[in-house]
């Protein structure tokens, strides 16, 4: 018997389709554009934002934003990466749902001048709602560094449940950081 007969066929991978435009009472979430590079670089160049993210180098420059945007615009990144705007089309943050390995993960960040207004809860909740309508049988993972109480509060408000603790490397901090792991099932989503 040949090894080809013993191998399992690859599992069918479902994708949610292209990143949609999602509107809420205060926000417009839309696919990114190259013109977002300056806003991204300004936000992620701020260490108070970058230190809460695992994959953002410091310092962060406009070219870093352009490199990331090229990947997003190429269509080769599995999942969605939505620019957060307040309706004036000015980029103030990002919320994305991406496939990593066999699981889907949500990540997000917001320019610090917009913190404390409920914007991220609204943005993440709206994108998760749309995602679960397209992918109703998927569980979404997330988490936050243990010192990021604001992000953990957002996740709790949306219905995420803590599943464990781990350590994760932070590029901006250049070291391992305690991380709280969370998961959200579609039926547990609390719409803000």
């Amino acid at each position: 018997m040949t090894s080809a007969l013993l191998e399992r066929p690859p599992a069918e991978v479902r994708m949610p389709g292209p990143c949609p435009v999602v509107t809420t009472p205060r926000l417009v979430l839309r696919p990114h554009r190259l013109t977002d590079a300056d806003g991204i670089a300004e936000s992620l160049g701020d260490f108070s934002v970058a230190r809460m993210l695992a994959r953002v180098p410091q310092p962060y420059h406009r070219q870093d934003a352009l490199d990331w945007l090229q990947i997003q615009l190429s269509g080769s990144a599995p999942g969605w990466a939505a620019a957060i705007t307040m309706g004036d089309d000015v980029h103030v943050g990002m919320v994305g749902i991406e496939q990593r390995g066999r699981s889907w993960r949500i990540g997000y960040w917001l320019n610090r001048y917009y913190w404390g207004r409920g914007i991220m809860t609204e943005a993440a909740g709206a994108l998760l709602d749309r995602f679960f309508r397209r992918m109703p049988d998927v569980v979404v993972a997330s988490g936050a560094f243990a010192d990021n109480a604001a992000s953990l509060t957002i996740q709790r408000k949306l219905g995420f449940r803590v599943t464990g603790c781990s350590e994760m490397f932070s590029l901006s901090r250049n070291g391992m950081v305690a991380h709280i792991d969370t998961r959200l099932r579609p039926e547990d989503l609390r719409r803000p």
Side-chain angles (χ1 to χ4, degrees):
M1 192 177 265
T2 67
S3 64
L5 293 175
L6 296 175
E7 291 179 17
R8 286 187 168 181
E12 183 181 324
V13 177
R14 282 192 34 232
M15 291 297 184
C19 184
V21 174
V22 178
T23 58
T24 72
R26 296 186 297 168
L27 308 174
V28 175
L29 310 177
R30 59 162 174 78
H32 281 86
R33 305 176 185 136
L34 282 177
T35 54
D36 294 325
D38 290 334
I40 293 169
E42 177 186 332
S43 296
L44 296 181
D46 182 342
F47 186 70
S48 62
V49 175
R51 71 182 295 275
M52 295 302 180
L53 304 170
R55 300 182 290 169
V56 177
Q58 283 296 292
Y60 191 90
H61 301 288
R62 184 174 191 277
Q63 188 60 52
D64 296 311
L66 287 169
D67 293 344
W68 181 81
L69 285 166
Q70 289 293 342
I71 295 167
Q72 299 309 310
L73 298 174
S74 74
S76 63
W80 296 346
I84 301 171
T85 71
M86 301 289 293
D88 56 5
D89 210 33
V90 175
H91 191 288
V92 299
M94 190 281 302
V95 58
I97 303 173
E98 67 178 349
Q99 189 174 30
R100 285 199 225 156
R102 292 181 168 225
S103 65
W104 288 91
R105 295 189 64 83
I106 187 169
Y108 46 82
W109 55 264
L110 191 65
N111 182 298
R112 77 176 159 115
Y113 296 108
Y114 293 86
W115 290 357
R117 300 184 198 177
I119 292 169
M120 190 51 74
T121 303
E122 187 176 329
L127 198 67
L128 282 162
D129 182 59
R130 180 69 62 90
F131 181 80
F132 284 142
R133 282 193 261 152
R134 292 192 185 176
M135 306 284 283
D137 55 344
V138 169
V139 174
V140 174
S142 192
F145 289 137
D147 61 347
N148 190 347
S151 188
L152 292 167
T153 297
I154 290 165
Q155 291 177 35
R156 182 183 44 78
K157 286 180 183 179
L158 292 173
F160 281 83
R161 296 190 180 164
V162 173
T163 59
C165 299
S166 60
E167 283 198 333
M168 184 178 285
F169 185 79
S170 168
L171 197 54
S172 64
R173 299 186 200 195
N174 193 30
M176 298 301 286
V177 181
H179 188 267
I180 307 298
D181 307 313
T182 63
R183 289 206 182 281
L184 178 68
R185 297 180 315 180
E187 62 270 22
D188 294 333
L189 175 63
R190 295 186 206 127
R191 288 153 180 86

